[in-house]
Amino acid sequence: MDQRYELYCLADRFFYDAPKVTRSTEFDIAHRPLPEGWQRIPGDEWLNYEPPVTRIPVQGWKVHVSGCAESADEILERAWEYCVPRDIAFKHLRGPGTLRMRNAKYAPRGASGKLVTIYPADDRELAEVLAGLGRRVAGLPGPYILSDLRIGDGPLYVRYGGFARRRVADERGEMVPAMENGEGDLVPDRRGPVFAVPDWVTLPDCLRPHLAARGATTTAELPYRIEAALHFSNGGGVYSGIDTRTGNSVILKEARPYAGLAADGADAVARLGRERDMLERLAGIDGVPDMLEYFTLGEHHFLVQEKIEGRTLNTFFAERHPLLDPELDPGKVAGYTAWALRIHEGVERLIEEIHGRGVVYNDLHMFNIMVRPDDSVALIDYEVAALATDRSRQTLANPAFQAPANRRGVEVDRYSLACLRLALFVPMTTLFTQDRRKAWQLADVIAEHFPVPQEFLDEAVAEITTGLRRWAPATLGLEDADWTAARTGLGNAIRSSATPDRPDRLFPGDIAQFAGASLGLAHGAAGVLYALHATNAERNPGFEAWLAQAVAHPPQGTGLGLYDGLLGAAFMLATLGYVDPALEAASHSLSERWERLGVDLYGGLPGYALALHELADLTGEESLREAGWRAAELVADRMDLLKNVRPGFLYGGSGVALMFLRLYERTRDEGHLTHAAAALRRDLDSCVEDRNGALQVDDGSKLLPYIDKGSVGVGLVIDEYLALSPDDEAAVEFAEARDGIRTAAASLYYAQPSLFRGRAGMLLYLGRQDPDDPVAHRHAKSLAWHAIPYENGLAFPGDQLYRLSMDLCTGTAGVLLALGAARADASADLPFLRARATAPRLPVETSTGPASLQPERR
C-alpha cells in the first residue's frame, strides 16, 4: 500500500482528488485581515503569506512549528503576531482536517508534524526567530518533526532546504523538489525522516547546542538489543530485538505522542496503551502474543511483546499462488486450495476466541495474519481492538478489508473474514471500496479456477453484499472480444468523467496530477486524448481546446517532458492539428533549464529528442529539430548514468534505446544502433528468470514484469530493435530474451489492470506481436475482473485500486489503448513505437546528427 493515496480519497467517492477546502474547514486565522501590501496565497494544503517586500532567499534554514489539535489555534496566533509585524514570510496548513491528515498514521513521516513554516532571510534572522518566537510558543504540544533538528523541547524545529519551487529529476527519473549544491547544480531536496545537514552547508552557531543535545537519549541502558527495524509508520516503529536478560526474541512497538492519528483522533500513544490493555485481556489465547513490558524512553512509549515465529500471510503469494503462473497446474491448484482453506479456518477460529473474551479485533488483513512454520495462525497488532460492547466503528483499516460504515462491533470482524475468503484466492477486495457488488464476480472467478466449496463462497458474498441487489457484470465487450462495444463503453466513461470547467485537470487520474502532471501523456489530458485519437474514438473539440488553453499558462510545477508534462502536451496538440498551441507549449519547456534533465523517457532528455523531432516534422519548425539533436547528444554523453538509474521503459535504458532506434530510422547511422543495443543490455542486466522461466526486472525486493519499470517495457523496445535490425549480433541475444519476457507477460493474475503497471500492458505487448495470441485474448477477457460500471460505460481503478482513473498510465485510457493495439487491423500503439512496420516511416535524413552521437568518435 502507498499511503500517499489516502488523502486523495477523501474529496470524491469515485476519483482521486485534491482535498476540498472551504471557509468552514479552514482555521479561523485564515480569514483575518492582512496589513496593507501583504498577500495571502492559497494552495491545496497551505496558505502562504508574503510581506510587501519579499526577502526570501531561494534556499536556506527554514523554521517549522509543530502543532496538534489542542495547540494549533494558539500556535497560529503567536506565529502571526511574531511574523507579520516583522515582515517575515510564512505559511500554515489550511485547516484542522489538513493537520489531522498530515499527522495520520500513514502520512509521510518526513513531512508530518508541521503546522507553520517560516522563511528567515538569513542566519541572523534565523537566530532571532528561534529566540523570539521560541519564547512565545514554549511548552505548547505537538508531534516531533522527524526530518528536522529540534530546538530545545519544541515545538520549533529547523531544516535546511529549498524555499523557491524548483524541481529536478532524482535517480529514479522522477521530478522532486530541488536545491542547489555547492557547485550551483540542482540536486534533490530530500525530506526524509532523519535530520541531515547537506555537506556544502555550514551549521549556524545558534543551532550547534541543539545538534549536540539531539543524541542525549539512547537505548544503551535498556535490557533489549534491537536487531532489526521491521516497519515504520508516522506513529512510530516496530523492531525485532533480544531480551538480553533471557536471550528470548521479542518485538518492541514504539509510539510517538501526537503522531499517527486514527479517525477517532487517538494518537499512537493512546493506541499503544489500548493494545497493552487488550493483550492483557486476551492473555493465554494461542495465536495472541504475550504482553511482556511497557515503558517510556524520552517521550516515546514502547510495548514489548512475544515474537511470533513465522511470516505474514501476504508474503506467501509470490511463491505459492497458482494464478501467478502462465497456466494452471491442477496439482498446485488443489494444494493451494487446501492450504488456503486451512488458513482461513484457523483465522476464523482465532477470531471466535477473541470474541469470546468480549473483544473485537477490528483490523483483520493479510499483513496482520502470521502463518507459523506448522501453518497455524496468529494475529498481531491490537492497537485498534475494542470491547465488543462498545459497538464501535473501525478507526484504522486496510481498504481491502474495511467494513462499511454501518457495520459495528463483531460485525466488522465478520465482514473482514468474508473478504479474506475471497482475497486468499483473488486478492482484489480493494475493489469493494468502489463497489461491493464486485464480490459476486470475484466469487465466480474463484469458482472457475479453484475447487472451493460453493457454500464457502456464497457465505462470503452474502456477508459482503448485505443490502445490495445482484447485478450482471457490465463487461461491455471485454469478455466476448467485441471491440466496438468495448471502445464505446470505455469512451463513454472517459467522456463522462471530464471536467472542462476545472483549470487544474481535465480528466481524473492518478494523484501525480496534483504534482505537476495534469497536462502530459502519463497522467494528464494529453495521454487521454492520445488514447482516444489512436483508437479512432470520436473527437471532442472542447477537450482539445482545454489542453490548448492550459499550455498557454501551465500551472506552476508542471513537468517539462514527454510523459510528465509540456512536451507531451505539445506532441499531442500538434498531432491533432493545433500547431500554434503546440509551439507555445514547446517554447515554455525549452525556456527552462531542460539540458540538465536526466536520461529517462518519462520527463528527461530521450523524451525531449523524440518529441522535438516529431514536432519539427509536424510544424516545420526546424529549430525544434536542432534542439532535438542537442538532447540526443546529451544523452549520448551521459550513457554512463544508466548504471545508476532503475531499468525499464520510462526510467531506464529501454527509453534511451527507443530514442536511438528512432534516430537510426531517420539516418541509418549504425552508431545509433550501437547505442541502442548498449542501453538495452543495461536493462537486461537487471533481469532474472523466475521459476517459470519468465524474465523480469529484479528491483531488489520484488520481480517486475511491467512496462514502466519492468521487463515488458524492455521487451517493447527489443521488438523495435528486431524490426529494424533483425540480423545483427545483438539481435540474437535480444531474441532469446524476448522468449522469457513473453512468459512474464503471460501470468493468469496481475494485481492491477493498468497499461504501465498491470494487465493492460501485457495485452498491448502480446497483442501487437500477434493479435491472435490466445494469451492476449485471455488478458482482454480478464480485464473484466477489474472493470467498474461508471455512468453509461465502464472504467478501471488506478494505482492502489482505491479510486477510478481515466489516465493513460494507470487508468481507463490505458486499457482502451491496449485493447485497440491488440486488434489485427490496429495502428494504435504507445508514442514512437511502430514495430509492426519494419520500414522507416520517414525518409532518411541527409544529416547523421552531431558528431558526438557517433560512438567511435566519443
Side-chain angles (χ1 to χ4, degrees):
M1 289 192 302
D2 186 337
Q3 300 299 336
R4 295 176 304 160
Y5 285 77
E6 182 181 6
L7 178 65
Y8 294 89
C9 290
L10 301 178
D12 192 287
R13 63 161 297 207
F14 293 112
F15 304 111
Y16 296 122
D17 205 348
K20 296 288 193 299
V21 179
T22 65
R23 185 180 182 93
S24 64
T25 61
E26 289 184 311
F27 288 116
D28 291 341
I29 206 166
H31 309 289
R32 177 178 295 182
L34 282 164
E36 185 177 355
W38 274 80
Q39 294 185 73
R40 181 185 281 120
I41 305 169
D44 288 341
E45 292 185 89
W46 296 90
L47 276 176
N48 297 269
Y49 295 82
E50 293 189 1
V53 178
T54 300
R55 298 178 293 115
I56 306 176
V58 294
Q59 63 192 53
W61 292 97
K62 59 181 72 175
V63 177
H64 292 121
V65 191
S66 172
C68 59
E70 295 80 7
S71 63
D73 287 333
E74 191 169 358
I75 285 174
L76 290 172
E77 178 73 27
R78 296 183 185 184
W80 177 290
E81 291 174 351
Y82 183 85
C83 292
V84 172
R86 293 166 177 81
D87 284 347
I88 300 174
F90 68 103
K91 68 179 181 180
H92 64 74
L93 291 175
R94 296 192 66 170
T98 313
L99 176 63
R100 185 170 57 252
M101 289 306 303
R102 278 266 175 165
N103 290 326
K105 180 176 180 180
Y106 288 109
R109 299 169 67 225
S112 179
K114 302 167 186 174
L115 172 62
V116 180
T117 302
I118 299 168
Y119 301 98
D122 50 33
D123 288 358
R124 178 191 59 79
E125 191 166 74
L126 169 68
E128 292 174 353
V129 171
L130 296 182
L133 181 59
R135 289 192 296 271
R136 289 168 167 79
V137 298
L140 293 176
Y144 196 107
I145 300 176
L146 296 174
S147 62
D148 287 25
L149 176 65
R150 190 180 193 181
I151 305 302
D153 295 329
L156 293 189
Y157 296 79
V158 170
R159 184 182 77 84
Y160 189 92
F163 292 1
R165 293 190 63 175
R166 297 185 290 180
R167 299 174 72 81
V168 70
D170 66 7
E171 66 277 2
R172 300 171 299 175
E174 297 178 0
M175 299 303 292
V176 297
M179 58 182 172
E180 290 184 13
N181 64 14
E183 286 73 47
D185 297 325
L186 285 180
V187 296
D189 181 2
R190 303 191 187 279
R191 303 173 185 189
V194 177
F195 173 70
V197 181
D199 56 14
W200 67 88
V201 173
T202 301
L203 192 74
D205 291 341
C206 64
L207 300 183
R208 294 186 183 280
H210 304 288
L211 184 61
R214 186 169 177 267
T217 300
T218 72
T219 61
E221 302 302 318
L222 291 178
Y224 302 102
R225 182 174 69 251
I226 304 299
E227 299 285 293
L230 303 179
H231 173 71
F232 286 109
S233 74
N234 191 34
V238 180
Y239 309 92
S240 174
I242 300 292
D243 186 331
T244 57
R245 299 163 296 187
T246 65
N248 293 335
S249 296
V250 296
I251 295 294
L252 295 91
K253 298 189 68 174
E254 172 197 26
R256 302 198 301 123
Y258 309 111
L261 303 182
D264 61 353
D267 69 1
V269 171
R271 291 198 309 278
L272 195 66
R274 186 183 304 160
E275 180 163 12
R276 173 196 59 205
D277 297 342
M278 290 300 163
L279 290 178
E280 290 176 341
R281 186 182 183 98
L282 300 173
I285 296 178
D286 181 32
V288 176
D290 292 334
M291 203 286 289
L292 303 175
E293 187 178 0
Y294 191 95
F295 64 89
T296 60
L297 180 66
E299 298 172 10
H300 293 204
H301 291 234
F302 289 85
L303 184 152
V304 186
Q305 60 184 248
E306 170 196 9
K307 182 177 182 180
I308 301 292
E309 295 301 326
R311 295 159 52 193
T312 55
L313 178 57
N314 66 293
T315 64
F316 285 83
F317 283 86
E319 62 192 48
R320 279 195 170 183
H321 204 286
L323 292 187
L324 296 179
D325 298 335
E327 299 292 341
L328 284 179
D329 179 330
K332 186 174 182 179
V333 169
Y336 179 85
T337 301
W339 175 81
L341 293 173
R342 287 198 309 273
I343 294 298
H344 189 274
E345 181 183 9
V347 175
E348 196 167 47
R349 184 168 54 246
L350 181 52
I351 289 291
E352 288 174 358
E353 289 193 63
I354 291 171
H355 288 177
R357 297 280 183 95
V359 173
V360 180
Y361 181 57
N362 264 338
D363 197 18
L364 182 66
H365 59 80
M366 292 182 182
F367 294 81
N368 280 348
I369 299 170
M370 295 290 294
V371 180
R372 295 184 281 202
D374 62 357
D375 278 352
S376 63
V377 299
L379 293 176
I380 58 175
D381 199 353
Y382 291 78
E383 65 181 43
V384 294
L387 295 178
T389 54
D390 291 345
R391 295 279 297 164
S392 57
R393 291 174 55 181
Q394 286 176 291
T395 57
L396 284 173
N398 182 299
F401 296 82
Q402 184 172 12
N406 62 353
R407 309 291 175 97
R408 301 295 181 97
V410 296
E411 297 168 357
V412 170
D413 286 347
R414 290 173 184 154
Y415 179 90
S416 299
L417 280 168
C419 290
L420 181 63
R421 291 192 182 202
L422 304 186
L424 278 163
F425 297 95
V426 181
M428 294 166 52
T429 54
T430 306
L431 294 173
F432 300 163
T433 62
Q434 286 289 289
D435 195 331
R436 285 185 286 125
R437 294 176 298 178
K438 289 292 287 186
W440 278 295
Q441 186 179 9
L442 296 189
D444 290 343
V445 171
I446 295 168
E448 179 184 351
H449 294 88
F450 297 91
V452 178
Q454 190 62 45
E455 183 181 13
F456 180 86
L457 299 174
D458 290 345
E459 290 173 353
V461 172
E463 177 67 42
I464 293 165
T465 61
T466 298
L468 300 177
R469 179 178 298 178
R470 178 164 188 169
W471 49 258
T475 60
L476 293 179
L478 292 179
E479 292 194 328
D480 53 6
D482 185 341
W483 160 243
T484 301
R487 180 174 62 181
T488 299
L490 272 62
N492 284 345
I494 290 170
R495 286 184 285 270
S496 297
S497 74
T499 55
D501 55 322
R502 288 182 57 160
D504 59 335
R505 69 115 197 265
L506 177 57
F507 301 100
D510 190 72
I511 66 172
Q513 290 185 326
F514 305 103
S518 64
L519 303 183
L521 286 172
H523 304 294
V528 179
L529 294 179
Y530 177 84
L532 293 170
H533 176 75
T535 56
N536 296 313
E538 180 182 351
R539 290 182 66 167
N540 185 306
F543 299 162
E544 297 167 6
W546 185 96
L547 184 59
Q549 293 168 9
V551 298
H553 302 284
Q556 188 175 19
T558 295
L560 305 179
L562 176 62
Y563 275 95
D564 70 337
L566 284 168
L567 278 190
F571 160 75
M572 194 62 237
L573 287 167
T575 300
L576 294 172
Y578 293 82
V579 173
D580 289 341
L583 292 174
E584 186 170 18
S587 176
H588 281 307
S589 183
L590 290 170
S591 67
E592 301 290 337
R593 301 171 74 177
W594 62 271
E595 292 173 316
R596 303 170 70 173
L597 293 174
V599 291
D600 59 287
L601 183 64
Y602 181 74
L605 296 170
Y608 263 72
L610 289 167
L612 291 170
H613 275 291
E614 184 77 4
L615 286 168
D617 295 335
L618 293 171
T619 67
E621 185 61 54
E622 286 303 310
S623 64
L624 297 176
R625 195 180 315 282
E626 294 173 9
W629 280 119
R630 174 59 180 156
E633 182 181 22
L634 290 169
V635 174
D637 289 341
R638 300 172 187 175
M639 288 286 284
D640 285 348
L641 294 179
L642 290 179
K643 65 177 180 290
N644 300 320
V645 301
R646 66 177 73 177
F649 183 76
L650 285 186
Y651 304 104
S654 298
V656 171
L658 178 63
M659 180 200 76
F660 281 117
L661 290 174
R662 294 288 79 91
L663 296 182
Y664 171 74
E665 187 182 61
R666 289 172 176 274
T667 65
R668 291 301 176 182
D669 190 300
E670 296 291 330
H672 301 323
L673 271 186
T674 301
H675 280 312
L680 280 171
R681 288 191 180 102
R682 287 281 192 187
D683 279 1
L684 288 175
D685 286 344
S686 299
C687 294
V688 298
E689 284 192 0
D690 68 9
R691 63 177 183 272
N692 294 311
L695 196 64
Q696 302 189 59
V697 168
D698 183 356
D699 81 340
S701 61
K702 54 188 175 297
L703 300 183
L704 301 175
Y706 306 116
I707 286 181
D708 63 345
K709 306 167 191 173
S711 57
V712 167
V714 184
L716 286 172
V717 184
I718 283 177
D719 287 349
E720 300 293 313
Y721 191 101
L722 295 176
L724 287 173
S725 185
D727 301 319
D728 67 13
E729 181 179 348
V732 176
E733 173 188 350
F734 297 154
E736 291 177 357
R738 181 164 65 173
D739 292 338
I741 294 172
R742 284 183 54 82
T743 302
S747 293
L748 292 156
Y749 169 79
Y750 294 92
Q752 301 193 124
S754 66
L755 179 62
F756 279 79
R757 299 165 191 169
R759 189 186 294 276
M762 311 300 126
L763 170 62
L764 180 138
Y765 173 64
L766 296 174
R768 68 199 293 276
Q769 293 177 356
D770 179 7
D772 295 323
D773 187 333
V775 178
H777 282 268
R778 187 181 71 203
H779 283 325
K781 179 179 178 180
S782 297
L783 278 167
W785 298 3
H786 283 92
I788 302 284
Y790 178 74
E791 297 294 340
N792 189 31
L794 202 62
F796 287 83
D799 265 11
Q800 312 300 307
L801 306 183
Y802 302 157
R803 293 292 187 270
L804 301 178
S805 170
M806 298 298 168
D807 70 34
L808 183 71
C809 179
T810 71
T812 307
V815 175
L816 174 64
L817 184 70
L819 288 166
R823 295 165 51 239
D825 60 344
S827 59
D829 216 332
L830 281 169
F832 306 109
L833 296 182
R834 42 182 177 265
R836 290 188 181 90
T838 58
R841 183 178 63 85
L842 296 170
V844 174
E845 294 181 2
T846 56
S847 169
T848 59
S852 60
L853 284 172
Q854 314 310 313
E856 65 274 15
R857 299 179 188 173
R858 292 184 62 204

